[in-house]
Amino acid sequence: MPPFDMIIRGGRVATASDTVTCDVGIRDGRVAALGRDLGTADDVIDAKGRLVLPGGIDSHVHFAQPSGPGIVMADDFESGTRSAAHGGNTLVMPFCCQEKGQSLRAALKDYHAKAAGKSYIDTSFHLVISDPTPQVLGQELPALVDDGYTSFKVFMTYEGLALNDMQLLEVFSVARETGALVMVHAENYDAIRFLTTRLEASQRTAPKYHATSRPIAVEREATHRAISLAQLVDVPVMIVHVSNGEAMEQIRWAQSKGLKVFGETCPQYLVLTEADLDGLNMEGAKYVCSPPPRDKQSQADCWRGLETGVFQVFSSDHCPFRYDDPAGKLIPKGRTSFRWVPNGIPGVETRLPILFSEGVVKGRITLNQFVALSSTNHAKMYGLHPRKGTIAVGCDADIAIWDPARTARIAAADLHQGSDYTPYEGLEVTGWPVTTIVRGRCVVRDGRLVGAMTHGQHLARDRSPYAVPARQGGLQVG
Ligand code: DUC
Ligand code: ZN
Ligand code: ZN
């Protein structure tokens, strides 16, 4: 029997810290050896001229999420994980969203049923807490953190999701006591409602006014407030989908004070602007997401946040709806305002090519930073490292093989997602993942889907090493 099931031969292997040319030997789904001339295997992949990178981890995606009456998300687990695999990802982290009145266990049961047997790549769920009842805070959440759901998201805006400051503090406090990490959607709910009402009253209802209704100040204020509330409770927080320099500077300020505040940004804040929402008819709806894309200065500021380490993770915030569809971006008749356009854009397949091309190829970040931002830091932040997020002996063989010279013009017709459009249509990129390997098995090989929908596993996670250790007994005040 050959010593390895698979050898990836002669590629440039890069991790978050090193780049070496060597073979990767894989056995039983794990990396078994790194070296030269590893001998024979049942399957040998020639990777000369290619990059061999840890598979992408996208710690912020939405699949099959209930999205309001009459609205249907464009990706279920099958199409979402297929699209992710074609984009060089080996693990995604979607959100299991609690509905008001629902128990977290019931929400998880439903969400697992949607994923079971329908995932090409591995998954691990975050929880969204929309109804922090005493039962949820006192019993369910602590038990679920112990079960490996070690991160949860809270919203400061959205009807049905927004938590007030008291509720935020209560959730933060449970995170502090259990050693969990809280992700925060930071936008000021009342300010958005006020601006939306004013805009609608003056017939400014086109999709572009979505951006006007949630300007930078709305995000900056909520970001600072989330940080201050987290400081009161001494809990680590991840501010997700940061869109601009003013919000980013709140995070940098907190970090300079030694607070455990982390940041995430996304492709839409690097390559789109508010002007994209100003399309003919409803075309601008293709770009409606929250926070909205801003301006050139904000793009430069988000790059600075990536380059200088204010942001630890770069995620897609893939939240897909179809465009040409009343169950998607073309809202049903009678609903005439941007207020009704579902928030979110697709991007799980294009996240890595955009960061590679705009970041590594254009010299803004190194290849090792790329690996950290797209994979390793996600695994570390969310309690999956070292099993995931790197290439080292003993880790899961989750690998993306890239053709760094392949040029492409992004087109929805070439993608493998459920949505009928991409907000990045026409963007030229250099570098594309050609083969994606999950626990030693090819899911995509030379651009063709070869994996099984049953291969993906859901993973329980350790507590984040960045979370403070669990402290029973509640908040020490005074
Ligand atoms: N927040 C997200 O995280 N995703 C999509 C929409 C939103 O507001
Ligand atoms: Zn959000
Ligand atoms: Zn999101």
Side-chain angles (χ1 to χ4, degrees):
M1 199 173 71
F4 301 109
D5 303 324
M6 178 187 283
I7 293 175
I8 303 170
R9 184 155 283 162
R12 275 179 71 213
V13 179
T15 66
S17 55
D18 303 299
T19 309
V20 289
T21 298
C22 69
D23 300 347
V24 181
I26 296 169
R27 191 168 43 230
D28 297 331
R30 295 184 177 210
V31 175
L34 297 170
R36 294 283 168 91
D37 305 321
L38 289 185
T40 57
D42 292 336
D43 190 0
V44 176
I45 297 181
D46 180 6
K48 282 193 202 66
R50 302 268 154 109
L51 294 174
V52 178
L53 308 181
I57 299 177
D58 195 338
S59 57
H60 187 154
V61 302
H62 304 263
F63 296 156
Q65 192 173 299
S67 304
I71 304 293
V72 181
M73 197 161 265
D75 279 312
D76 58 11
F77 277 83
E78 178 182 350
S79 63
T81 58
R82 180 182 67 212
S83 182
H86 279 279
N89 298 286
T90 50
L91 175 88
V92 285
M93 300 182 66
F95 293 87
C96 169
C97 203
Q98 177 201 26
E99 305 209 19
K100 281 242 189 298
Q102 191 183 30
S103 82
L104 292 177
R105 288 271 179 209
L108 270 169
K109 188 160 174 262
D110 289 356
Y111 206 53
H112 273 293
K114 292 181 183 184
K118 284 193 162 184
S119 302
Y120 288 97
I121 66 173
D122 287 347
T123 60
S124 189
F125 302 163
H126 309 286
L127 303 168
V128 169
I129 313 301
S130 66
D131 199 4
T133 61
Q135 166 77 11
V136 165
L137 294 168
Q139 334 252 295
E140 284 207 289
L141 259 186
L144 288 170
V145 175
D146 281 341
D147 286 354
Y149 301 92
T150 55
S151 51
F152 20 94
K153 183 175 178 190
V154 290
F155 286 80
M156 298 172 78
T157 189
Y158 286 132
E159 197 72 41
L161 285 174
L163 303 189
N164 61 34
D165 289 356
M166 177 69 115
Q167 292 172 313
L168 289 172
L169 284 164
E170 280 165 351
V171 174
F172 286 3
S173 186
V174 174
R176 174 65 184 89
E177 286 153 25
T178 57
L181 181 66
V182 191
M183 307 162 81
V184 184
H185 179 126
E187 290 185 295
N188 182 313
Y189 183 40
D190 283 339
I192 293 168
R193 288 201 294 174
F194 171 82
L195 291 168
T196 300
T197 306
R198 291 290 169 105
L199 287 163
E200 287 179 345
S202 56
Q203 281 74 53
R204 287 176 284 177
T205 55
K208 67 177 178 180
Y209 293 111
H210 169 79
T212 322
S213 74
R214 23 207 344 146
I216 285 174
V218 160
E219 185 182 343
R220 185 198 62 226
E221 183 279 330
T223 302
H224 188 87
R225 182 157 40 100
I227 290 168
S228 301
L229 299 179
Q231 182 182 14
L232 292 179
V233 182
D234 183 26
V235 72
V237 282
M238 165 68 73
I239 309 294
V240 294
H241 45 51
V242 177
S243 73
N244 68 88
E246 292 186 22
M248 188 265 285
E249 289 299 342
Q250 308 306 303
I251 300 169
R252 187 200 296 285
W253 170 83
Q255 291 168 349
S256 77
K257 301 281 174 210
L259 300 177
K260 290 197 178 196
V261 175
F262 305 99
E264 171 199 82
T265 193
C266 315
Q268 50 269 39
Y269 308 121
L270 302 182
V271 299
L272 302 179
T273 69
E274 184 176 345
D276 288 306
L277 278 81
D278 191 9
L280 272 182
N281 302 317
M282 283 297 285
E283 285 282 320
K286 291 180 176 175
Y287 304 88
V288 166
C289 59
S290 294
R294 309 287 185 186
D295 55 13
K296 291 279 175 201
Q297 182 60 50
S298 300
Q299 292 180 347
D301 290 341
C302 287
W303 276 114
R304 195 158 43 86
L306 289 170
E307 291 157 20
T308 60
V310 179
F311 300 135
Q312 291 70 41
V313 290
F314 182 75
S315 310
S316 67
D317 194 4
H318 178 82
C319 185
F321 299 96
R322 288 173 50 77
Y323 171 66
D324 193 8
D325 194 333
K329 294 287 190 176
L330 294 188
I331 47 186
K333 284 200 182 1
R335 298 199 148 176
T336 50
S337 150
F338 62 85
R339 175 202 291 260
W340 304 108
V341 176
N343 279 216
I345 57 177
V348 73
E349 193 167 343
T350 46
R351 170 185 73 124
L352 297 179
I354 290 172
L355 185 66
F356 186 87
S357 186
E358 293 290 319
V360 181
V361 175
K362 294 195 176 170
R364 290 173 165 128
I365 55 173
T366 65
L367 179 60
N368 307 104
Q369 277 178 300
F370 171 83
V371 171
L373 288 163
S374 63
S375 178
T376 314
N377 291 355
H378 300 251
K380 287 183 175 171
M381 193 60 62
Y382 294 108
L384 288 164
H385 192 264
R387 178 175 172 193
K388 302 289 190 187
T390 192
I391 298 177
V393 171
C395 313
D396 281 1
D398 288 355
I399 291 171
I401 303 176
W402 283 65
D403 180 348
R406 181 172 150 191
T407 56
R409 192 182 280 274
I410 292 176
D414 298 331
L415 300 177
H416 304 80
Q417 55 179 16
S419 187
D420 56 351
Y421 80 97
T422 167
Y424 308 109
E425 187 79 30
L427 182 72
E428 288 193 36
V429 291
T430 299
W432 201 273
V434 290
T435 294
T436 304
I437 298 165
V438 177
R439 284 178 283 101
R441 293 242 194 105
C442 284
V443 174
V444 172
R445 187 156 188 161
D446 295 325
R448 282 190 319 109
L449 185 71
V450 296
M453 222 178 14
T454 47
H455 184 54
Q457 296 178 351
H458 181 272
L459 304 178
R461 285 177 282 121
D462 294 335
R463 287 169 170 80
S464 169
Y466 299 99
V468 280
R471 176 184 65 191
Q472 300 301 327
L475 177 62
Q476 316 290 305
V477 179

